[in-house]
Amino acid sequence: KPFLQTTFLVMFYSAALFLAIGTFMISANGTTTYGVILSGFLFALLLECYWCCQLVDRLNEVNTQIGILLCSLDWPVELQYTKATASRYRQARSSLLIM
């Protein structure tokens, strides 16, 4: 988790810096082939930052949903070991170990 936070901050602020520098260069030099290529690169950079933010938001939502499902399990019933429910016990236990 700390790695993701640091990586995201570096990516976000470098994207903002590149956007600012690129916008300045395009406005200072006018419309040239280099400016068009630079604006395409800046658009791709902005799109990548947006996609990364969306991915992290979706992962956080899934993480919350998994937590809610795990907390709403009927633990005493699911984890009772009897001969009749041995396979269900092993399945519930392995699922919990994965989580």
Side-chain angles (χ1 to χ4, degrees):
K1 190 171 183 177
F3 174 74
L4 276 178
Q5 290 174 349
T6 305
T7 304
F8 175 73
L9 285 176
V10 168
M11 187 181 84
F12 178 75
Y13 285 117
S14 64
L17 180 67
F18 284 142
L19 283 172
I21 292 171
T23 305
F24 173 75
M25 290 179 69
I26 289 171
S27 64
N29 293 336
T31 305
T32 61
T33 305
Y34 176 73
V36 171
I37 293 171
L38 183 63
S39 64
F41 170 74
L42 294 175
F43 178 74
L45 188 67
L46 187 63
L47 193 61
E48 181 182 357
C49 190
Y50 171 75
W51 281 339
C52 185
C53 291
Q54 286 296 319
L55 178 65
V56 169
D57 285 343
R58 288 181 183 165
L59 285 175
N60 284 336
E61 289 173 8
V62 168
N63 186 23
T64 303
Q65 290 173 355
I66 289 172
I68 290 170
L69 287 173
L70 283 176
C71 290
S72 67
L73 279 178
D74 196 10
W75 295 98
V77 173
E78 290 291 325
L79 292 178
Q80 286 182 352
Y81 183 80
T82 62
K83 295 273 185 191
T85 61
S87 66
R88 186 164 172 81
Y89 174 81
R90 283 192 295 274
Q91 182 184 10
R93 186 174 173 153
S94 65
S95 296
L96 290 174
L97 286 174
I98 291 172
M99 297 300 159

